[in-house]
Amino acid sequence: MLDKVAEYSQEVEAYNVSNVEELEQFRIRFLGSKNIIKDLFAAFKDVPNEQKKEFGQRLNELKKQAQEKFDSLQATIGQAKASVTAEQLDLTRPGYPIEVGARHPVSIVRNEIIEIFERIGFTISEGPEIEDDWHNFSALNFPEEHPARDMQDTFFIDNKQGESMALRTHTSSVQVRVMEGQKPPIRTISPGRVYRNEAISARSLSMFHQVEGLYVDKGVSFADMKQVIQYFAKEFFGKTKIRMRPSYFPFTEPSAEVDVYWGLETEADYRMTKGTGWLEIMGCGMVDPEVLKNCDIDPNTYSGFAFGMGLERIAAQRYGVDDIRYFLENDIRFLKQFKGAF
Ligand code: PHE
């Protein structure tokens, strides 16, 4: 029996491991729940009495030796592992390049428009996207039976109070709020999201962005409106020639559609202007006296003009995008092509 202990002791002494699996084998053999030292302890009863003391001591020594050996083997393997990681980790290697994000084309266009109007004293106003009937329609002189109120154009919202609420169909609603809350002179633009219940196609979306503008003061005339719009066309499109075509909006009288002369130099110009050279950019008009009255502004003292444009359309024209649905898909390959100063 003592020979057996000496044999195991030598085995422990000489044991060497080169990886974690071999270390585990050592642990199972000498320290595991069914290790061979335990077997020797079990054989204790067969040892002659006079040898029992020595056998016991030697077994305890063997047990200690095995544990110490295990600890030292483990330390060696751990070091080996650490040095491998250090070799693989090259701190001097240059990093992977990080792509810089780009602004969304609609945001670029919006910021540019805002900046252009800020330069001539317009402030920015915002309002809720869920609007009541008064701000979106009634105050703006929409008759009860006006087709724009129809279910086909407007997303109405059921609410428990029985109030008639809707997703705003234009940001003219914000202008009503400004006129209700401020006294003239008022010079403001309202950028924001608007919603219309329309079939989604390459040319129309059911959610899009607008910038609308409003100027109310004493003696504001149609000529002032023309000047401001011409200034905008020059700053934004770099074009000086505009024209106005008679149109209709319930909240302006007279009303007009504004076209900018884009030119017919390239094939793209033909496509974009449908062969006419003119590009429609916005609607505008002199604020209807009824609308001023609805907002407690005296139409005998004050007059004003308003205009409104859709940003997706303008961004599509500017960047030559032929399907405005791309603006909503958020495909990074599409979005990262646009660079703007804003
Ligand atoms: N609110 C109109 C629209 O959404 C645009 C507009 C604004 C027209 C102001 C005239 C004056 O189409």
Side-chain angles (χ1 to χ4, degrees), residues 187-234:
R187 256 187 252 111
T188 191
I189 50 170
S190 329
R193 271 190 206 139
V194 300
Y195 303 83
R196 289 185 200 174
N197 194 356
E198 281 179 27
I200 294 170
S201 72
R203 317 192 116 248
S204 65
L205 298 170
S206 52
M207 186 280 289
F208 59 99
H209 298 77
Q210 274 191 332
V211 172
E212 294 215 355
L214 173 75
Y215 183 12
V216 182
D217 200 356
K218 284 181 185 151
V220 174
S221 69
F222 198 96
D224 295 325
M225 175 167 80
K226 238 165 129 179
Q227 277 303 314
V228 166
I229 292 174
Q230 189 155 34
Y231 156 80
F232 168 73
K234 181 163 168 279

Side-chain angles (χ1 to χ4, degrees), residues 10 31 47-48 53 59 66 87 97 117 125 139 148 162 184 189 210 242-243 248 260-262 270 279 281 298 314 333:
Q10 269 169 19
L31 302 166
V47 175
K53 190 174 170 213
L59 265 187
E87 266 166 36
F117 283 103
S125 47
I189 50 170
Q210 274 191 332
I242 61 166
R243 73 177 181 190
Y248 172 77
V260 59
Y261 190 70
W262 186 262
Y270 267 88
L279 208 58
I281 55 166
D298 181 4
I314 288 181
R333 293 165 302 178

Side-chain angles (χ1 to χ4, degrees), residues 140 142 169-173 175 194 196 208 210-214 225 248-249 251-252 254-257 282-287 305-310:
L140 288 162
F142 278 82
T169 58
H170 49 189
T171 58
S172 306
S173 57
Q175 311 193 332
V194 300
R196 289 185 200 174
F208 59 99
Q210 274 191 332
V211 172
E212 294 215 355
L214 173 75
M225 175 167 80
Y248 172 77
F249 299 103
F251 37 90
T252 48
S255 308
E257 298 285 350
M282 63 168 86
C284 68
M286 301 305 291
V287 181
F305 65 80
F307 55 87
M309 55 195 136

Side-chain angles (χ1 to χ4, degrees), residues 150-206:
D150 205 291
M151 294 300 274
Q152 278 161 12
D153 294 309
T154 307
F155 290 111
F156 289 98
I157 291 172
D158 287 336
N159 80 337
K160 307 239 157 37
Q161 288 76 42
E163 267 176 274
S164 165
M165 302 291 280
L167 294 176
R168 67 181 179 197
T169 58
H170 49 189
T171 58
S172 306
S173 57
V174 180
Q175 311 193 332
V176 173
R177 288 177 180 275
V178 171
M179 286 191 281
E180 283 172 340
Q182 287 174 32
K183 289 298 134 222
I186 293 170
R187 256 187 252 111
T188 191
I189 50 170
S190 329
R193 271 190 206 139
V194 300
Y195 303 83
R196 289 185 200 174
N197 194 356
E198 281 179 27
I200 294 170
S201 72
R203 317 192 116 248
S204 65
L205 298 170
S206 52

